[in-house]
Amino acid sequence: MLDFNIRGENIEVTPAIREHVEKKIQKLERYFTDGANATAHVNMKVYNDKQTKVEVTIPMKNLTLRAEERHADLYAAIDLIVDKLERQIRKYKTRVNRKFREREGVAAFFASVSKSNGSTATEVSEDDDSEFSVVRTKRFDLKPMDQEEAILQMNMLGHTFFVFTDSGSDETNIVYKRKDGQYGLIETN
């Protein structure tokens, strides 16, 4: 079951907006086994040019779904975000199905994916006049995974790099997207 944390910046989150967001995003629950507990973090912002930006992040145990959309119509942006999230889930499930086809079974894997994420992510803003100032800090638990899963997770988050614990070596590694569109791996000792 999805819980919702809906915030608005320069916009009042009315009951109608809240109902539309919850109705649309709850459709994603059909992709997961029963007992899926996660919180959908929805941020809405209206700019001076009347454009709206909607961001949705759904952190789970082995997967973080994230999408953002900018559109003149808030409701259309929400619909487009749900489409993006559905594509991410289908892509992830297709890869996992292919990877675990010969192994113990996909149902057990997706049952574990559906449980809520136990990691804690915090963001801290600091004002510092130094030349190299840190403007945001994130803390999270490193989950064991292989390189392919790390690349998939990086792409779903829309980032250019991803830090993870390699499930084979138990070392902290980094995958990154190169300028030529290929992927790189940094291994640590």
Side-chain angles (χ1 to χ4, degrees), residues 41-97:
H41 301 280
V42 182
N43 296 319
M44 294 177 271
K45 184 175 185 177
V46 176
Y47 295 98
N48 290 337
D49 61 357
K50 302 299 180 200
Q51 286 278 319
T52 60
K53 178 179 167 185
V54 180
E55 299 174 10
V56 177
T57 306
I58 306 173
M60 294 182 289
K61 184 177 180 183
N62 294 323
L63 172 69
T64 299
L65 299 171
R66 184 181 182 285
E68 67 179 61
E69 187 66 43
R70 216 175 151 148
H71 199 279
D73 180 14
L74 175 71
Y75 292 96
I78 294 166
D79 294 344
L80 291 170
I81 286 231
V82 171
D83 292 342
K84 282 184 179 181
L85 292 172
E86 283 181 329
R87 281 193 303 272
Q88 286 180 13
I89 292 168
R90 284 194 299 273
K91 182 177 178 181
Y92 184 76
K93 280 192 170 192
T94 300
R95 286 198 180 180
V96 170
N97 281 335

CSV table of all heavy atoms in Angstrom, one decimal, residues 41-97:
chain,number,residue,atom,x,y,z
A,41,HIS,N,6.7,10.3,-2.5
A,41,HIS,CA,7.0,11.7,-2.2
A,41,HIS,C,6.8,12.5,-3.5
A,41,HIS,O,7.4,12.3,-4.5
A,41,HIS,CB,8.5,11.8,-1.8
A,41,HIS,CG,8.9,11.0,-0.6
A,41,HIS,ND1,8.6,11.4,0.7
A,41,HIS,CD2,9.5,9.8,-0.5
A,41,HIS,CE1,9.0,10.5,1.5
A,41,HIS,NE2,9.5,9.5,0.8
A,42,VAL,N,5.8,13.3,-3.4
A,42,VAL,CA,5.3,14.1,-4.6
A,42,VAL,C,5.6,15.6,-4.3
A,42,VAL,O,5.1,16.1,-3.3
A,42,VAL,CB,3.8,13.9,-4.9
A,42,VAL,CG1,3.4,14.7,-6.1
A,42,VAL,CG2,3.5,12.4,-5.0
A,43,ASN,N,6.4,16.2,-5.1
A,43,ASN,CA,6.7,17.7,-5.0
A,43,ASN,C,6.2,18.4,-6.2
A,43,ASN,O,6.5,18.0,-7.3
A,43,ASN,CB,8.2,17.9,-4.8
A,43,ASN,CG,8.7,17.3,-3.6
A,43,ASN,OD1,8.1,17.4,-2.5
A,43,ASN,ND2,9.9,16.7,-3.7
A,44,MET,N,5.4,19.4,-6.0
A,44,MET,CA,4.8,20.2,-7.0
A,44,MET,C,5.3,21.7,-6.9
A,44,MET,O,5.3,22.2,-5.8
A,44,MET,CB,3.3,20.2,-7.0
A,44,MET,CG,2.8,18.8,-7.3
A,44,MET,SD,1.0,18.7,-7.2
A,44,MET,CE,0.8,18.3,-5.5
A,45,LYS,N,5.7,22.3,-8.0
A,45,LYS,CA,6.2,23.6,-8.0
A,45,LYS,C,5.6,24.4,-9.1
A,45,LYS,O,5.5,23.9,-10.2
A,45,LYS,CB,7.7,23.6,-8.0
A,45,LYS,CG,8.3,25.0,-7.9
A,45,LYS,CD,9.8,24.9,-7.8
A,45,LYS,CE,10.4,26.3,-7.6
A,45,LYS,NZ,11.9,26.2,-7.4
A,46,VAL,N,5.2,25.6,-8.9
A,46,VAL,CA,4.7,26.5,-10.0
A,46,VAL,C,5.7,27.6,-10.2
A,46,VAL,O,6.1,28.3,-9.2
A,46,VAL,CB,3.3,27.1,-9.7
A,46,VAL,CG1,2.9,28.0,-10.7
A,46,VAL,CG2,2.3,26.0,-9.5
A,47,TYR,N,6.1,27.8,-11.4
A,47,TYR,CA,7.1,28.9,-11.7
A,47,TYR,C,6.4,30.2,-12.1
A,47,TYR,O,5.2,30.2,-12.4
A,47,TYR,CB,8.0,28.4,-12.8
A,47,TYR,CG,8.9,27.3,-12.4
A,47,TYR,CD1,8.6,26.0,-12.7
A,47,TYR,CD2,10.1,27.5,-11.7
A,47,TYR,CE1,9.4,24.9,-12.3
A,47,TYR,CE2,10.9,26.4,-11.3
A,47,TYR,CZ,10.5,25.1,-11.6
A,47,TYR,OH,11.3,24.1,-11.2
A,48,ASN,N,7.1,31.3,-12.3
A,48,ASN,CA,6.5,32.5,-12.7
A,48,ASN,C,5.9,32.5,-14.0
A,48,ASN,O,5.0,33.3,-14.3
A,48,ASN,CB,7.6,33.6,-12.6
A,48,ASN,CG,8.0,34.0,-11.2
A,48,ASN,OD1,7.3,33.7,-10.3
A,48,ASN,ND2,9.2,34.5,-11.1
A,49,ASP,N,6.4,31.6,-14.9
A,49,ASP,CA,5.8,31.6,-16.3
A,49,ASP,C,4.6,30.6,-16.3
A,49,ASP,O,4.2,30.2,-17.4
A,49,ASP,CB,6.9,31.1,-17.3
A,49,ASP,CG,7.5,29.8,-17.0
A,49,ASP,OD1,7.1,29.2,-16.0
A,49,ASP,OD2,8.3,29.3,-17.8
A,50,LYS,N,4.1,30.3,-15.1
A,50,LYS,CA,2.9,29.4,-15.0
A,50,LYS,C,3.2,27.9,-15.3
A,50,LYS,O,2.2,27.2,-15.4
A,50,LYS,CB,1.7,29.9,-15.8
A,50,LYS,CG,1.3,31.3,-15.4
A,50,LYS,CD,0.9,31.5,-13.9
A,50,LYS,CE,0.5,32.9,-13.6
A,50,LYS,NZ,0.6,33.2,-12.2
A,51,GLN,N,4.4,27.6,-15.6
A,51,GLN,CA,4.8,26.2,-15.8
A,51,GLN,C,4.8,25.5,-14.4
A,51,GLN,O,5.1,26.1,-13.4
A,51,GLN,CB,6.2,26.1,-16.4
A,51,GLN,CG,6.3,26.5,-17.9
A,51,GLN,CD,5.9,25.3,-18.8
A,51,GLN,OE1,6.2,24.2,-18.5
A,51,GLN,NE2,5.1,25.6,-19.8
A,52,THR,N,4.3,24.3,-14.4
A,52,THR,CA,4.4,23.5,-13.2
A,52,THR,C,5.4,22.4,-13.4
A,52,THR,O,5.6,21.8,-14.5
A,52,THR,CB,3.0,22.8,-12.9
A,52,THR,OG1,2.6,22.0,-14.0
A,52,THR,CG2,1.9,23.9,-12.7
A,53,LYS,N,6.0,22.0,-12.3
A,53,LYS,CA,7.0,20.9,-12.3
A,53,LYS,C,6.5,20.0,-11.2
A,53,LYS,O,6.3,20.3,-10.1
A,53,LYS,CB,8.4,21.4,-11.9
A,53,LYS,CG,9.4,20.4,-11.9
A,53,LYS,CD,10.8,21.0,-11.6
A,53,LYS,CE,11.8,20.0,-11.2
A,53,LYS,NZ,13.1,20.6,-10.8
A,54,VAL,N,6.4,18.7,-11.6
A,54,VAL,CA,6.0,17.7,-10.6
A,54,VAL,C,7.1,16.6,-10.6
A,54,VAL,O,7.6,16.2,-11.6
A,54,VAL,CB,4.7,17.0,-11.1
A,54,VAL,CG1,4.3,15.9,-10.1
A,54,VAL,CG2,3.6,18.0,-11.2
A,55,GLU,N,7.5,16.3,-9.3
A,55,GLU,CA,8.5,15.3,-9.1
A,55,GLU,C,7.9,14.2,-8.2
A,55,GLU,O,7.3,14.5,-7.2
A,55,GLU,CB,9.8,15.8,-8.4
A,55,GLU,CG,10.5,16.9,-9.1
A,55,GLU,CD,11.6,17.5,-8.2
A,55,GLU,OE1,11.9,17.0,-7.2
A,55,GLU,OE2,12.1,18.6,-8.6
A,56,VAL,N,8.1,12.9,-8.6
A,56,VAL,CA,7.7,11.8,-7.8
A,56,VAL,C,8.8,10.9,-7.5
A,56,VAL,O,9.5,10.5,-8.4
A,56,VAL,CB,6.5,11.0,-8.5
A,56,VAL,CG1,6.1,9.8,-7.6
A,56,VAL,CG2,5.3,12.0,-8.7
A,57,THR,N,9.0,10.6,-6.2
A,57,THR,CA,10.1,9.6,-5.8
A,57,THR,C,9.4,8.6,-4.9
A,57,THR,O,8.7,8.9,-4.0
A,57,THR,CB,11.2,10.3,-5.1
A,57,THR,OG1,11.7,11.4,-5.9
A,57,THR,CG2,12.3,9.3,-4.8
A,58,ILE,N,9.6,7.3,-5.3
A,58,ILE,CA,9.1,6.2,-4.5
A,58,ILE,C,10.3,5.3,-4.1
A,58,ILE,O,10.6,4.4,-4.9
A,58,ILE,CB,8.0,5.4,-5.3
A,58,ILE,CG1,6.9,6.4,-5.7
A,58,ILE,CG2,7.4,4.3,-4.4
A,58,ILE,CD1,5.9,5.7,-6.6
A,59,PRO,N,10.8,5.5,-2.9
A,59,PRO,CA,11.9,4.6,-2.5
A,59,PRO,C,11.4,3.3,-2.0
A,59,PRO,O,10.5,3.3,-1.2
A,59,PRO,CB,12.7,5.4,-1.5
A,59,PRO,CG,11.6,6.3,-0.9
A,59,PRO,CD,10.6,6.6,-2.0
A,60,MET,N,12.0,2.2,-2.5
A,60,MET,CA,11.7,0.8,-2.0
A,60,MET,C,13.0,0.1,-1.6
A,60,MET,O,14.0,0.7,-1.8
A,60,MET,CB,10.8,0.1,-3.0
A,60,MET,CG,9.4,0.7,-3.2
A,60,MET,SD,8.4,-0.2,-4.3
A,60,MET,CE,9.2,0.2,-5.8
A,61,LYS,N,12.9,-1.1,-1.2
A,61,LYS,CA,14.1,-1.8,-0.7
A,61,LYS,C,15.2,-1.9,-1.8
A,61,LYS,O,16.3,-1.6,-1.5
A,61,LYS,CB,13.7,-3.2,-0.2
A,61,LYS,CG,14.8,-4.0,0.4
A,61,LYS,CD,14.4,-5.3,0.9
A,61,LYS,CE,15.6,-6.0,1.5
A,61,LYS,NZ,15.3,-7.4,2.0
A,62,ASN,N,14.9,-2.5,-2.9
A,62,ASN,CA,15.9,-2.7,-4.0
A,62,ASN,C,15.7,-1.8,-5.2
A,62,ASN,O,16.4,-2.0,-6.2
A,62,ASN,CB,15.9,-4.2,-4.4
A,62,ASN,CG,16.3,-5.1,-3.3
A,62,ASN,OD1,17.1,-4.8,-2.5
A,62,ASN,ND2,15.6,-6.2,-3.3
A,63,LEU,N,14.8,-0.8,-5.1
A,63,LEU,CA,14.5,0.0,-6.3
A,63,LEU,C,14.0,1.3,-5.8
A,63,LEU,O,13.3,1.4,-4.9
A,63,LEU,CB,13.4,-0.8,-7.1
A,63,LEU,CG,12.8,-0.1,-8.2
A,63,LEU,CD1,13.8,0.1,-9.4
A,63,LEU,CD2,11.6,-0.8,-8.7
A,64,THR,N,14.5,2.4,-6.5
A,64,THR,CA,13.9,3.7,-6.3
A,64,THR,C,13.3,4.2,-7.6
A,64,THR,O,14.1,4.3,-8.6
A,64,THR,CB,15.0,4.7,-5.7
A,64,THR,OG1,15.5,4.2,-4.5
A,64,THR,CG2,14.4,6.1,-5.5
A,65,LEU,N,12.0,4.4,-7.6
A,65,LEU,CA,11.4,5.0,-8.8
A,65,LEU,C,11.4,6.5,-8.7
A,65,LEU,O,11.1,7.0,-7.6
A,65,LEU,CB,10.0,4.5,-8.9
A,65,LEU,CG,9.8,3.0,-9.0
A,65,LEU,CD1,8.3,2.6,-8.9
A,65,LEU,CD2,10.3,2.5,-10.3
A,66,ARG,N,11.8,7.2,-9.8
A,66,ARG,CA,11.8,8.6,-9.7
A,66,ARG,C,11.5,9.2,-11.1
A,66,ARG,O,12.0,8.7,-12.1
A,66,ARG,CB,13.2,9.1,-9.3
A,66,ARG,CG,13.2,10.7,-9.2
A,66,ARG,CD,14.6,11.2,-8.7
A,66,ARG,NE,14.5,12.6,-8.6
A,66,ARG,CZ,14.5,13.5,-9.6
A,66,ARG,NH1,14.5,13.0,-10.8
A,66,ARG,NH2,14.5,14.8,-9.4
A,67,ALA,N,10.7,10.2,-11.2
A,67,ALA,CA,10.4,10.8,-12.4
A,67,ALA,C,10.0,12.3,-12.1
A,67,ALA,O,9.5,12.6,-11.1
A,67,ALA,CB,9.2,10.1,-13.1
A,68,GLU,N,10.3,13.1,-13.1
A,68,GLU,CA,9.8,14.5,-13.0
A,68,GLU,C,9.3,15.0,-14.4
A,68,GLU,O,9.8,14.5,-15.4
A,68,GLU,CB,10.9,15.4,-12.5
A,68,GLU,CG,12.1,15.6,-13.3
A,68,GLU,CD,13.1,16.6,-12.7
A,68,GLU,OE1,13.7,16.3,-11.6
A,68,GLU,OE2,13.4,17.6,-13.3
A,69,GLU,N,8.4,15.9,-14.3
A,69,GLU,CA,7.8,16.4,-15.6
A,69,GLU,C,7.5,17.9,-15.4
A,69,GLU,O,7.0,18.3,-14.3
A,69,GLU,CB,6.6,15.6,-15.9
A,69,GLU,CG,5.9,15.9,-17.2
A,69,GLU,CD,6.8,15.5,-18.4
A,69,GLU,OE1,7.4,14.4,-18.3
A,69,GLU,OE2,6.9,16.3,-19.3
A,70,ARG,N,7.7,18.6,-16.4
A,70,ARG,CA,7.4,20.1,-16.5
A,70,ARG,C,6.3,20.3,-17.5
A,70,ARG,O,6.5,19.8,-18.7
A,70,ARG,CB,8.6,20.9,-16.8
A,70,ARG,CG,8.7,22.2,-16.0
A,70,ARG,CD,9.9,22.9,-16.3
A,70,ARG,NE,9.7,24.3,-16.2
A,70,ARG,CZ,10.5,25.2,-15.7
A,70,ARG,NH1,11.7,24.8,-15.4
A,70,ARG,NH2,10.2,26.4,-15.6
A,71,HIS,N,5.2,20.9,-17.2
A,71,HIS,CA,4.1,21.1,-18.1
A,71,HIS,C,3.3,22.3,-17.7
A,71,HIS,O,3.3,22.7,-16.5
A,71,HIS,CB,3.3,19.8,-18.1
A,71,HIS,CG,2.4,19.6,-19.3
A,71,HIS,ND1,1.2,20.3,-19.5
A,71,HIS,CD2,2.6,18.9,-20.4
A,71,HIS,CE1,0.7,19.9,-20.6
A,71,HIS,NE2,1.5,19.0,-21.2
A,72,ALA,N,2.6,22.8,-18.6
A,72,ALA,CA,1.7,24.0,-18.3
A,72,ALA,C,0.5,23.6,-17.5
A,72,ALA,O,0.0,24.3,-16.7
A,72,ALA,CB,1.2,24.7,-19.6
A,73,ASP,N,0.1,22.3,-17.7
A,73,ASP,CA,-1.1,21.8,-17.0
A,73,ASP,C,-0.6,20.8,-15.9
A,73,ASP,O,0.0,19.8,-16.2
A,73,ASP,CB,-2.0,21.1,-17.9
A,73,ASP,CG,-3.3,20.5,-17.3
A,73,ASP,OD1,-3.6,20.9,-16.1
A,73,ASP,OD2,-4.0,19.7,-17.9
A,74,LEU,N,-1.0,21.1,-14.6
A,74,LEU,CA,-0.5,20.2,-13.5
A,74,LEU,C,-1.1,18.8,-13.7
A,74,LEU,O,-0.3,17.9,-13.5
A,74,LEU,CB,-1.0,20.9,-12.2
A,74,LEU,CG,-0.8,20.0,-10.9
A,74,LEU,CD1,0.7,20.0,-10.6
A,74,LEU,CD2,-1.6,20.6,-9.8
A,75,TYR,N,-2.3,18.7,-14.0
A,75,TYR,CA,-2.9,17.3,-14.1
A,75,TYR,C,-2.3,16.5,-15.3
A,75,TYR,O,-2.1,15.3,-15.1
A,75,TYR,CB,-4.4,17.5,-14.4
A,75,TYR,CG,-5.1,18.0,-13.1
A,75,TYR,CD1,-5.5,19.3,-13.0
A,75,TYR,CD2,-5.5,17.1,-12.1
A,75,TYR,CE1,-6.1,19.8,-11.8
A,75,TYR,CE2,-6.1,17.6,-11.0
A,75,TYR,CZ,-6.4,18.9,-10.8
A,75,TYR,OH,-7.1,19.4,-9.7
A,76,ALA,N,-1.9,17.2,-16.4
A,76,ALA,CA,-1.3,16.5,-17.5
A,76,ALA,C,0.1,16.1,-17.0
A,76,ALA,O,0.6,15.0,-17.4
A,76,ALA,CB,-1.2,17.4,-18.7
A,77,ALA,N,0.8,16.9,-16.2
A,77,ALA,CA,2.2,16.5,-15.8
A,77,ALA,C,2.1,15.3,-14.9
A,77,ALA,O,2.9,14.4,-15.0
A,77,ALA,CB,2.7,17.7,-15.0
A,78,ILE,N,1.1,15.2,-14.0
A,78,ILE,CA,0.9,14.0,-13.2
A,78,ILE,C,0.6,12.8,-14.0
A,78,ILE,O,1.2,11.7,-13.8
A,78,ILE,CB,-0.3,14.3,-12.2
A,78,ILE,CG1,0.1,15.4,-11.2
A,78,ILE,CG2,-0.6,13.0,-11.4
A,78,ILE,CD1,-1.0,15.9,-10.4
A,79,ASP,N,-0.2,12.9,-15.1
A,79,ASP,CA,-0.5,11.8,-15.9
A,79,ASP,C,0.8,11.3,-16.7
A,79,ASP,O,1.1,10.1,-16.8
A,79,ASP,CB,-1.5,12.1,-17.0
A,79,ASP,CG,-2.9,12.4,-16.4
A,79,ASP,OD1,-3.1,12.0,-15.2
A,79,ASP,OD2,-3.8,13.0,-17.0
A,80,LEU,N,1.6,12.3,-17.1
A,80,LEU,CA,2.9,11.9,-17.8
A,80,LEU,C,3.9,11.3,-16.9
A,80,LEU,O,4.6,10.3,-17.3
A,80,LEU,CB,3.5,13.2,-18.4
A,80,LEU,CG,2.7,13.8,-19.6
A,80,LEU,CD1,3.3,15.1,-20.0
A,80,LEU,CD2,2.8,12.8,-20.8
A,81,ILE,N,3.9,11.7,-15.6
A,81,ILE,CA,4.8,11.1,-14.6
A,81,ILE,C,4.4,9.6,-14.4
A,81,ILE,O,5.3,8.8,-14.3
A,81,ILE,CB,4.7,11.9,-13.3
A,81,ILE,CG1,5.4,13.2,-13.5
A,81,ILE,CG2,5.2,11.1,-12.1
A,81,ILE,CD1,6.4,13.5,-12.5
A,82,VAL,N,3.1,9.4,-14.3
A,82,VAL,CA,2.7,8.0,-14.0
A,82,VAL,C,3.1,7.1,-15.2
A,82,VAL,O,3.6,6.0,-15.0
A,82,VAL,CB,1.2,7.9,-13.8
A,82,VAL,CG1,0.7,6.5,-13.8
A,82,VAL,CG2,0.8,8.6,-12.5
A,83,ASP,N,3.0,7.6,-16.4
A,83,ASP,CA,3.4,6.9,-17.6
A,83,ASP,C,4.9,6.6,-17.5
A,83,ASP,O,5.4,5.5,-17.8
A,83,ASP,CB,3.1,7.6,-18.9
A,83,ASP,CG,1.6,7.7,-19.2
A,83,ASP,OD1,0.9,6.9,-18.6
A,83,ASP,OD2,1.3,8.6,-20.0
A,84,LYS,N,5.7,7.6,-17.1
A,84,LYS,CA,7.2,7.4,-17.0
A,84,LYS,C,7.5,6.3,-15.9
A,84,LYS,O,8.4,5.4,-16.2
A,84,LYS,CB,7.9,8.7,-16.6
A,84,LYS,CG,8.1,9.6,-17.7
A,84,LYS,CD,8.8,10.8,-17.2
A,84,LYS,CE,9.1,11.8,-18.3
A,84,LYS,NZ,9.9,13.0,-17.9
A,85,LEU,N,6.8,6.4,-14.8
A,85,LEU,CA,7.1,5.4,-13.7
A,85,LEU,C,6.7,4.0,-14.2
A,85,LEU,O,7.4,3.0,-13.8
A,85,LEU,CB,6.3,5.8,-12.5
A,85,LEU,CG,6.8,7.1,-11.8
A,85,LEU,CD1,5.9,7.5,-10.7
A,85,LEU,CD2,8.2,6.9,-11.3
A,86,GLU,N,5.6,3.9,-14.9
A,86,GLU,CA,5.2,2.5,-15.4
A,86,GLU,C,6.2,2.0,-16.4
A,86,GLU,O,6.5,0.8,-16.3
A,86,GLU,CB,3.8,2.6,-16.1
A,86,GLU,CG,2.6,2.7,-15.1
A,86,GLU,CD,1.3,2.7,-15.9
A,86,GLU,OE1,1.2,3.3,-17.0
A,86,GLU,OE2,0.3,2.2,-15.3
A,87,ARG,N,6.8,2.8,-17.2
A,87,ARG,CA,7.8,2.4,-18.1
A,87,ARG,C,9.0,1.9,-17.4
A,87,ARG,O,9.7,0.9,-17.7
A,87,ARG,CB,8.2,3.5,-19.1
A,87,ARG,CG,7.2,3.6,-20.3
A,87,ARG,CD,7.8,4.5,-21.4
A,87,ARG,NE,8.1,5.8,-21.0
A,87,ARG,CZ,7.3,6.9,-20.9
A,87,ARG,NH1,6.1,6.7,-21.3
A,87,ARG,NH2,7.8,8.0,-20.5
A,88,GLN,N,9.4,2.6,-16.3
A,88,GLN,CA,10.5,2.2,-15.5
A,88,GLN,C,10.3,0.9,-14.8
A,88,GLN,O,11.2,0.0,-14.8
A,88,GLN,CB,10.8,3.3,-14.4
A,88,GLN,CG,11.4,4.5,-14.8
A,88,GLN,CD,11.6,5.5,-13.7
A,88,GLN,OE1,11.6,5.2,-12.5
A,88,GLN,NE2,11.9,6.8,-14.1
A,89,ILE,N,9.1,0.7,-14.3
A,89,ILE,CA,8.8,-0.6,-13.6
A,89,ILE,C,8.9,-1.7,-14.7
A,89,ILE,O,9.5,-2.8,-14.4
A,89,ILE,CB,7.4,-0.5,-12.9
A,89,ILE,CG1,7.5,0.4,-11.8
A,89,ILE,CG2,7.0,-1.9,-12.5
A,89,ILE,CD1,6.1,0.8,-11.2
A,90,ARG,N,8.3,-1.5,-15.8
A,90,ARG,CA,8.3,-2.6,-16.8
A,90,ARG,C,9.7,-2.9,-17.3
A,90,ARG,O,10.0,-4.1,-17.5
A,90,ARG,CB,7.4,-2.2,-18.0
A,90,ARG,CG,5.9,-2.4,-17.7
A,90,ARG,CD,5.1,-2.3,-19.0
A,90,ARG,NE,5.2,-1.1,-19.7
A,90,ARG,CZ,4.4,0.0,-19.5
A,90,ARG,NH1,3.5,0.0,-18.6
A,90,ARG,NH2,4.6,1.1,-20.2
A,91,LYS,N,10.5,-1.9,-17.5
A,91,LYS,CA,11.9,-2.1,-17.9
A,91,LYS,C,12.6,-2.9,-16.8
A,91,LYS,O,13.4,-3.8,-17.1
A,91,LYS,CB,12.5,-0.7,-18.1
A,91,LYS,CG,14.0,-0.8,-18.6
A,91,LYS,CD,14.5,0.6,-18.9
A,91,LYS,CE,15.9,0.6,-19.3
A,91,LYS,NZ,16.4,2.0,-19.6
A,92,TYR,N,12.4,-2.5,-15.6
A,92,TYR,CA,13.1,-3.1,-14.5
A,92,TYR,C,12.7,-4.6,-14.4
A,92,TYR,O,13.5,-5.5,-14.3
A,92,TYR,CB,12.9,-2.4,-13.2
A,92,TYR,CG,13.6,-2.9,-12.0
A,92,TYR,CD1,15.0,-2.7,-11.8
A,92,TYR,CD2,13.0,-3.7,-11.1
A,92,TYR,CE1,15.7,-3.2,-10.8
A,92,TYR,CE2,13.7,-4.2,-10.0
A,92,TYR,CZ,15.0,-3.9,-9.8
A,92,TYR,OH,15.7,-4.4,-8.8
A,93,LYS,N,11.4,-4.8,-14.4
A,93,LYS,CA,10.9,-6.2,-14.3
A,93,LYS,C,11.4,-7.1,-15.5
A,93,LYS,O,11.7,-8.2,-15.3
A,93,LYS,CB,9.4,-6.2,-14.3
A,93,LYS,CG,8.8,-5.9,-12.9
A,93,LYS,CD,7.3,-6.3,-12.8
A,93,LYS,CE,6.9,-6.2,-11.4
A,93,LYS,NZ,5.5,-6.7,-11.3
A,94,THR,N,11.4,-6.5,-16.7
A,94,THR,CA,11.9,-7.3,-17.9
A,94,THR,C,13.4,-7.7,-17.7
A,94,THR,O,13.7,-8.8,-17.9
A,94,THR,CB,11.8,-6.4,-19.2
A,94,THR,OG1,10.4,-6.1,-19.3
A,94,THR,CG2,12.3,-7.1,-20.4
A,95,ARG,N,14.2,-6.8,-17.2
A,95,ARG,CA,15.6,-7.1,-17.0
A,95,ARG,C,15.8,-8.1,-15.9
A,95,ARG,O,16.6,-9.0,-16.0
A,95,ARG,CB,16.4,-5.8,-16.6
A,95,ARG,CG,16.6,-5.0,-17.8
A,95,ARG,CD,17.7,-4.0,-17.6
A,95,ARG,NE,17.9,-3.2,-18.8
A,95,ARG,CZ,18.8,-2.3,-18.9
A,95,ARG,NH1,19.6,-2.0,-17.9
A,95,ARG,NH2,19.0,-1.6,-20.0
A,96,VAL,N,15.0,-8.0,-14.8
A,96,VAL,CA,15.1,-8.9,-13.7
A,96,VAL,C,14.6,-10.3,-14.1
A,96,VAL,O,15.2,-11.3,-13.8
A,96,VAL,CB,14.3,-8.4,-12.5
A,96,VAL,CG1,14.2,-9.5,-11.4
A,96,VAL,CG2,15.0,-7.2,-11.9
A,97,ASN,N,13.5,-10.3,-14.9
A,97,ASN,CA,13.0,-11.6,-15.4
A,97,ASN,C,14.1,-12.3,-16.2
A,97,ASN,O,14.3,-13.5,-16.1
A,97,ASN,CB,11.7,-11.4,-16.2
A,97,ASN,CG,10.5,-11.2,-15.4
A,97,ASN,OD1,10.5,-11.6,-14.2
A,97,ASN,ND2,9.5,-10.5,-15.9
